Amino acid sequence: MAIVSSGSSAPRGSRPEPAPRLVDAAVQEHEQERPLQREDSLRPRKLADYIGQSELKQVLGIAIEATRTREEALDHVLLYGPPGLGKTTMALVLAEELGVRCRITSAPALERPRDIVGLLVNLQPRELLFIDEIHRLTRVAEELLYPAMEDFRLDLTVGKGTTARTRTLPLAPFTLVGATTRAGSLSSPLRDRFGLIQRLEFYGLEDLQAIVQRAAGLLNLELEPEAALEVARRCRGTPRIANRLLRRVRDVAAVGGHSLVGAALVQQALSLHRVDGRGLDASDRRLLDLLHNGYGGGPVGLDTLAAGLGEDPVTLESVVEPFLLQQGFLQRTPRGRVITEAGIAHLREHAA
Ligand code: ADE
């Protein structure tokens, strides 16, 4: 790794001195705030408002309280599980509960060493750094993170060839919150540096119904409990999808002049978007259909299936399949993917 510049390092254990020249540019590049996203307005801010994931909340609740008492940075946290279940939301909740700022980035944005250096040297004591898709970090970025996570220091190589030297830069004690949909793709040295490793689960219907009602309140939409349940049934166990569907329902309600939304209106609105009663969309049904009618039900390899669908195998495996597996429509066997009886029955019910 070569980050070329000069400058002296501060003594270990003390607060960082003003960043030496080698990191100046990197620091400035990372000063911009993350733009607000549509999802942000519906996110819970406090642990008490976060619905579901009870084990996760319990574990993190204890860690937060212990950390507050000790006046230390929270241990590094790795959150894994399918997309849309609230990993970013939980990182923001942690920051709110600890009264610190949360810096949000994702591994593909940290391609150059200076990207991660800029973020790390900018952190104030006890702040959170959230890195999404952490399994996609480059080797160099990952190696910079090891001493940063373990000893709050950056080891930078200055110069090249025979004149190369290592400089150590102290960092403020911080918490890394890593998120991934592919925990198995993380290298073990990186995984081992997280003190808390937690899986997010698909949400149950009752929790989803409560999430939908809460979001409806924030969107000024009056929703009957049955209507909230109908959205809950169709959101693939995922709050992000629930909130997206809810916005589509709100559009249909607004255009039709409905002030109170019932279950029938939800069904009508979501059929328009080809979301079926179990939450499968057109691309899920296409996968099941190809497996059943194109490959006699399987087994068929992931790459073959992905090629047939014109999908990227990684997306198929980490984004599309988990819900189909969880619903019992699909099985992964050593010889490939297989459609289940329930999957076939579902296809029959919802023939395109
Ligand atoms: N919105 C999205 N996810 C949520 C959750 N887990 N609890 C409450 N509101 C949410």
Side-chain angles (χ1 to χ4, degrees), residues 215-266:
L218 294 170
L219 293 170
N220 285 323
L221 183 67
E222 216 179 316
L223 205 61
E224 285 178 357
E226 268 302 311
L229 187 59
E230 203 54 46
V231 176
R233 282 199 191 103
R234 293 172 181 241
C235 72
R236 315 167 61 103
T238 308
R240 181 187 293 159
I241 299 179
N243 290 340
R244 196 175 77 213
L245 298 180
L246 188 63
R247 288 182 198 273
R248 300 292 69 79
V249 170
R250 183 174 66 154
D251 289 349
V252 171
V255 171
H258 303 273
S259 55
L260 176 65
V261 175
L265 193 72
V266 172

Side-chain angles (χ1 to χ4, degrees), residues 5-9 20 22 154-158 165-169:
S5 186
S6 61
S8 63
S9 60
L22 88 162
L154 264 178
D155 291 337
L156 302 171
T157 305
V158 180
R165 284 162 299 140
T166 302
R167 287 216 177 271
T168 295
L169 198 67

Side-chain angles (χ1 to χ4, degrees), residues 17-34:
E17 283 179 352
R21 259 178 296 149
L22 88 162
V23 288
D24 274 358
V27 170
Q28 279 159 16
E29 260 181 48
H30 284 89
E31 275 300 294
Q32 309 110 319
E33 288 297 317
R34 160 182 166 273

Side-chain angles (χ1 to χ4, degrees), residues 198-216:
Q198 290 292 313
R199 181 184 156 83
L200 278 87
E201 307 285 348
F202 284 116
Y203 290 69
L205 271 185
E206 227 173 90
D207 287 338
L208 290 165
Q209 188 181 15
I211 288 171
V212 171
Q213 279 295 6
R214 176 182 174 276

Side-chain angles (χ1 to χ4, degrees), residues 102-312:
C102 180
R103 293 303 193 127
I104 298 185
T105 189
S106 72
L110 304 174
E111 207 176 301
R112 302 165 306 173
R114 69 193 282 180
D115 296 323
I116 194 147
V117 168
L119 276 171
L120 290 169
V121 300
N122 252 325
L123 290 171
Q124 297 298 308
R126 299 185 210 161
E127 281 186 349
L128 262 62
L129 172 61
F130 178 77
I131 305 184
D132 204 4
E133 298 188 74
I134 195 159
H135 61 277
R136 293 177 64 183
L137 279 179
T138 61
R139 178 99 177 265
V140 171
E142 205 175 303
E143 282 173 6
L144 280 165
L145 268 183
Y146 297 158
M149 290 173 78
E150 213 151 294
D151 299 322
F152 305 120
R153 64 164 222 272
L154 264 178
D155 291 337
L156 302 171
T157 305
V158 180
K160 279 185 180 161
T162 51
T163 62
R165 284 162 299 140
T166 302
R167 287 216 177 271
T168 295
L169 198 67
L171 299 169
F174 71 100
T175 300
L176 177 65
V177 183
T180 180
T181 51
R182 297 165 59 88
S185 301
L186 233 64
S187 72
S188 25
L190 182 58
R191 199 174 40 240
D192 293 347
R193 282 171 169 83
F194 288 97
L196 295 151
I197 301 183
Q198 290 292 313
R199 181 184 156 83
L200 278 87
E201 307 285 348
F202 284 116
Y203 290 69
L205 271 185
E206 227 173 90
D207 287 338
L208 290 165
Q209 188 181 15
I211 288 171
V212 171
Q213 279 295 6
R214 176 182 174 276
L218 294 170
L219 293 170
N220 285 323
L221 183 67
E222 216 179 316
L223 205 61
E224 285 178 357
E226 268 302 311
L229 187 59
E230 203 54 46
V231 176
R233 282 199 191 103
R234 293 172 181 241
C235 72
R236 315 167 61 103
T238 308
R240 181 187 293 159
I241 299 179
N243 290 340
R244 196 175 77 213
L245 298 180
L246 188 63
R247 288 182 198 273
R248 300 292 69 79
V249 170
R250 183 174 66 154
D251 289 349
V252 171
V255 171
H258 303 273
S259 55
L260 176 65
V261 175
L265 193 72
V266 172
Q267 283 168 13
Q268 182 199 328
L270 299 185
S271 300
L272 202 63
H273 291 276
R274 304 191 59 199
V275 175
D276 68 32
R278 292 283 286 274
L280 273 64
D281 62 19
S283 61
D284 299 312
R285 288 190 298 271
R286 220 155 57 81
L287 183 151
L288 293 179
D289 184 60
L290 181 65
L291 195 49
H292 184 48
N293 295 313
Y295 296 103
V300 60
L302 174 69
D303 288 342
T304 309
L305 202 55
L309 293 166
E311 272 277 10
D312 156 46

Side-chain angles (χ1 to χ4, degrees), residues 42-44 49-52 85-86 89 203 211 214 239-240 243:
L42 301 182
R43 291 188 202 278
D49 299 328
Y50 193 108
I51 298 161
L85 299 188
T89 302
Y203 290 69
I211 288 171
R214 176 182 174 276
R240 181 187 293 159
N243 290 340

